[in-house]
Structure formats: structure tokens, C-alpha cells
Amino acid sequence: MKWIYININELTDNQYESFTKFVSKERRQRLKRYKYIDDAKRSLLAALLVRAELVQQLQCTNDELLFAKNDYGKPICLNQEDAHFNVAHSGDYVVAAFSKKPIGIDIEKHKEINVLNFHSVLNEWEYQEICRSNHPIATFYKFWTAKESYTKALGIGLTYPVKDIRVLSNGAVEKSHLLTPWHISQYFSETYTVSICMKDKYENKKGKGISIQNLKTFLEGNE
């Protein structure tokens, strides 16, 4: 497993247009529909992180990469069956995770929220943990990103009854009080929480920051 990240502020407004050449025509059309440049940057950089990593893993060019979507809209790579990936973004950061098995990742920037508004997606144990916590917002995002990463690993998104999901202290995932083969690893900062879900239990690995120049180098095939 590997996960990487980039700060959207690495990509200046002046650089933005020149980097759109590395994505598909469909993606470029989608980018034009964003009202705010930061939203467009998040979408563009999510695609670029995936492409930059896969051209290295698969030893191919950016133009040779082929993608499709499953029935729930999750992107998949057609070049190699075990080239699994997932992306997420929030605030200033875009993250991407890669594995030879299905994987899901989520990142959330901590915002002041009313936890009561999310009671329908929290089980009673989680809700009580949040209420008891000295840092209820951070505790909420710990649970929420775990649920998101799990459903994204399954490839079904939030159509899943997330209230039935519970993450144990060792990272194991329970569904309706039954243990599943999935495990979650989490990474915390003062303002962000990242959760990664995959089937095999694995040692926590720090994410690797990627620069705009790195992306350009990999995508142009100069590495």
C-alpha cells in the first residue's frame, strides 16, 4: 500500500491550464463546469496524482493509461487488473491511495459542525464516544472518514448503511456486530483526518508529499 498527497496551492492559477493537457477530454470538459478554481484544482490534481503514480507502477506513458468506472461510478484502471486506487480531497489537500487489492481513502478538514445533524449515520456507541470526547469534532471525523473509506473500498459509495459500520481500536471493521476482513489505518493532524481501508492489515505508513514538478516530470515521461 502507498498513499500520496498534494496541496492544491502548489498549482498556481497560471499553471492550471497547462496541466489540463495531461487528463482526458471528458475530464477537461468537467473541469470547465466548476464555478470556483479551487474546486477545479482538486478535481484535476486527483486525476494527476493517479496518473503520475500509475505510469511509474505500470511502466507506461500517460497516454497509454485506460480508465473506466464501475456501476457505482468508482474509477478503475483497465491496464492492469490489480492496479487499485482511490482518491479524496478536502480543504487544501488531495490524497490518493494505491494497492494491489481494493482500497478506499478519505480525508476531511475539520469544521465546526453540529454532531446532532449526523445522528442518522452514527451508531449509538460512536455517538456516545463523541459526546464524551474532549475533542468531539476530531472524534466525529475519526468515525466519519473511517466509514467513507470503507464504503469507497467496497466501491459502492455512501449508498451503504454506514450506521451499521463500527471500527474497533485495532482498526478492524465490524458490520452489524460481525467482524469483516477489512482494516482501517488513520492519520491525524490538528485540522485533518485521513482514513485508509483495505482487506489486509498493514503497518501504518506515512503519506508522501508530491510536488507539482514531480507530477509534470512523471506525466511527461522524463523520469
Side-chain angles (χ1 to χ4, degrees):
M1 188 277 289
K2 177 181 182 179
W3 71 281
I4 57 180
Y5 62 87
I6 192 167
N7 189 310
I8 65 170
N9 297 307
E10 286 258 354
L11 182 64
T12 67
D13 293 356
N14 291 334
Q15 290 173 313
Y16 171 82
E17 195 63 38
S18 66
F19 275 79
T20 62
K21 68 182 181 183
F22 295 119
V23 296
S24 66
K25 181 179 179 181
E26 178 190 6
R27 172 77 66 162
R28 290 195 295 271
Q29 291 298 319
R30 203 184 320 161
L31 292 172
K32 291 178 181 178
R33 295 197 287 268
Y34 284 105
K35 182 177 179 180
Y36 300 107
I37 185 64
D38 281 357
D39 291 332
K41 284 183 181 181
R42 293 182 188 101
S43 178
L44 175 61
L45 288 171
L48 295 183
L49 283 182
V50 169
R51 287 175 172 273
E53 179 62 27
L54 291 181
V55 296
Q56 297 173 81
Q57 286 189 13
L58 306 180
Q59 293 295 294
C60 64
T61 67
N62 181 47
D63 291 338
E64 290 172 330
L65 289 173
L66 298 173
F67 297 96
K69 293 182 179 180
N70 72 5
D71 292 341
Y72 295 91
K74 182 179 181 178
I76 55 177
C77 179
L78 299 178
N79 298 72
Q80 190 164 307
E81 188 174 338
D82 63 356
H84 295 278
F85 65 90
N86 196 227
V87 298
H89 48 73
S90 181
D92 289 337
Y93 288 93
V94 179
V95 294
F98 305 86
S99 175
K100 291 187 176 181
K101 296 183 179 180
I103 191 167
I105 187 169
D106 188 49
I107 181 173
E108 294 291 345
K109 183 178 182 180
H110 300 177
K111 301 175 184 176
E112 290 297 324
I113 57 170
N114 184 349
V115 175
L116 287 174
N117 293 336
F118 296 87
H119 207 178
S120 63
V121 298
L122 298 169
N123 57 57
E124 192 57 33
W125 176 82
E126 291 166 336
Y127 185 70
Q128 293 302 324
E129 286 292 302
I130 292 169
C131 292
R132 286 192 290 263
S133 174
N134 292 326
H135 305 282
I137 300 300
T139 303
F140 166 78
Y141 282 111
K142 174 183 176 182
F143 295 139
W144 179 251
T145 58
K147 292 171 184 284
E148 282 254 31
S149 68
Y150 174 69
T151 60
K152 292 176 74 178
L154 292 179
I156 59 175
L158 288 177
T159 58
Y160 194 87
V162 294
K163 195 169 186 175
D164 295 339
I165 304 167
R166 177 179 170 183
V167 182
L168 306 182
S169 59
N170 64 356
V173 179
E174 278 188 352
K175 175 187 172 294
S176 302
H177 306 293
L178 297 175
L179 200 61
T180 75
W182 298 89
H183 289 80
I184 290 174
S185 185
Q186 296 186 302
Y187 310 84
F188 308 98
S189 74
E190 288 187 7
T191 52
Y192 288 89
T193 298
V194 175
S195 290
I196 300 174
C197 181
M198 57 186 296
K199 280 193 173 179
D200 292 335
K201 190 173 182 179
Y202 55 94
E203 294 182 6
N204 285 9
K205 294 182 179 179
K206 289 184 178 180
K208 179 181 179 182
I210 302 296
S211 71
I212 285 297
Q213 185 56 49
N214 286 152
L215 287 181
K216 189 172 186 290
T217 299
F218 296 142
L219 294 170
E220 288 181 338
N222 298 326
E223 182 68 10

